[in-house]
Amino acid sequence: MSPPPNEIYQFSIISALMSGLASPSSSIPISTLLQHGTFGMGTFESMDGEMLILDSTAYQFHADGSINICSPDQLVPFALITPFAPSLTKRISLPNKKAMLEEIDATFPEAKNAFVVFRIEGVFKRVKIRAIHRQAYGGQKLAELAEGQAVRSFEGVRGTVVGVRSPTWSVGVSVVGVHAHFVDDGRKIGGHVLEIEAEDGTKVTLEGSVSGSFRLELPQSKEFGEKQLDLDVLGIEKAEG
């Protein structure tokens, strides 16, 4: 049975990544994840880079700047995905990343306590993205990995932002506020969005929808069951900001 449009399926929680849980035993394969939707984001075993899912294709963005289409058996310790079906399309100005959150809040004022799934397409004056290096040892925490993240900036690039705006109550479960990944039209560059800006005097296309259902599956591993997870709110903001 196919999931309903815009139902978010999330595997594991962001606090697990903050606590360093990204092993094979606490992961699921991409093939299982893709049964739940066509549009999403996440990371990989050992937190090896960033994931973006667009039109049912999953991409892996490595810290060295390379990109590959994921194989069905690649393992995923954290991700969210949905059968995205936008309920609204509009043209917007985008002077910075903060404006992304402001625009979504203004467009969906009734969704303060819901998840909002969105896609933004257009030509961007500047995009600053990052990718995480894989764990150097088992259990290495996301906050430590973020300190050595690979950051790159690009100008005059056409591409797509895949994003989710998560409500305040989801702290520790998801990334509160806007969590967004980017890929260019040529599928040559991509990663987690740190900063973004549309071309001066131009607008980009925002498509979005409120998700009426959030389904969470937790890892069934011994390490997840026994681990005291870190609710590191400031660390999540720093790592995912």
Side-chain angles (χ1 to χ4, degrees):
M1 181 177 178
S2 298
N6 301 311
E7 177 182 82
I8 292 176
Y9 167 86
Q10 181 174 304
F11 180 76
S12 195
I13 56 178
I14 192 65
S15 291
L17 290 190
M18 297 304 297
S19 304
L21 295 185
S23 70
S25 66
S26 295
S27 301
I28 59 172
I30 282 280
S31 57
T32 298
L33 181 68
L34 289 174
Q35 293 174 13
H36 299 280
T38 60
F39 181 93
M41 68 189 80
T43 189
F44 298 90
E45 177 193 345
S46 302
M47 288 189 256
D48 186 12
E50 314 291 334
M51 177 203 300
L52 177 146
I53 302 167
L54 187 60
D55 299 327
S56 298
T57 300
Y59 301 90
Q60 182 176 15
F61 309 126
H62 297 275
D64 65 3
S66 62
I67 296 178
N68 62 270
I69 295 177
C70 300
S71 62
D73 58 351
Q74 278 188 260
L75 295 178
V76 178
F78 174 82
L80 56 85
I81 189 170
T82 185
F84 184 46
S87 62
L88 177 149
T89 300
K90 63 188 291 191
R91 299 282 287 172
I92 64 168
S93 299
L94 193 67
N96 51 50
K97 185 179 178 181
K98 182 181 178 182
M100 193 185 302
L101 176 60
E102 292 172 346
E103 186 67 45
I104 291 167
D105 286 346
T107 302
F108 299 99
E110 79 290 357
K112 181 179 294 186
N113 295 307
F115 291 84
V116 177
V117 187
F118 66 92
R119 174 170 57 209
I120 300 176
E121 296 179 327
V123 178
F124 299 92
K125 179 179 180 180
R126 187 175 68 93
V127 179
K128 185 177 181 180
I129 53 177
R130 74 101 194 271
I132 294 288
H133 293 274
R134 69 178 294 126
Q135 290 173 314
Y137 57 88
Q140 187 176 16
K141 297 183 178 183
L142 177 56
E144 182 181 347
L145 288 168
E147 292 177 359
Q149 64 189 8
V151 178
R152 295 175 174 83
S153 294
F154 301 90
E155 297 182 353
V157 58
R158 178 181 290 276
T160 301
V161 174
V162 169
V164 174
R165 197 293 315 273
S166 299
T168 304
W169 62 258
S170 68
V171 63
V173 174
S174 193
V175 178
V176 172
V178 163
H179 185 194
H181 288 188
F182 174 84
V183 66
D184 75 314
D185 281 2
R187 306 299 190 256
K188 300 295 184 183
I189 60 173
H192 174 95
V193 176
L194 297 175
E195 299 174 14
I196 192 163
E197 177 183 356
E199 289 283 359
D200 296 336
T202 68
K203 293 188 175 184
V204 291
T205 301
L206 167 68
E207 296 180 313
S209 190
V210 177
S211 175
S213 179
F214 179 76
R215 179 183 170 195
L216 176 64
E217 182 175 347
L218 298 175
Q220 298 300 301
S221 64
K222 185 174 184 290
E223 64 174 358
F224 182 86
E226 295 179 346
K227 183 74 172 180
Q228 182 66 45
L229 299 181
D230 297 335
L231 184 57
D232 184 359
V233 177
L234 292 178
I236 294 171
E237 291 178 355
K238 184 177 180 181
E240 299 294 344

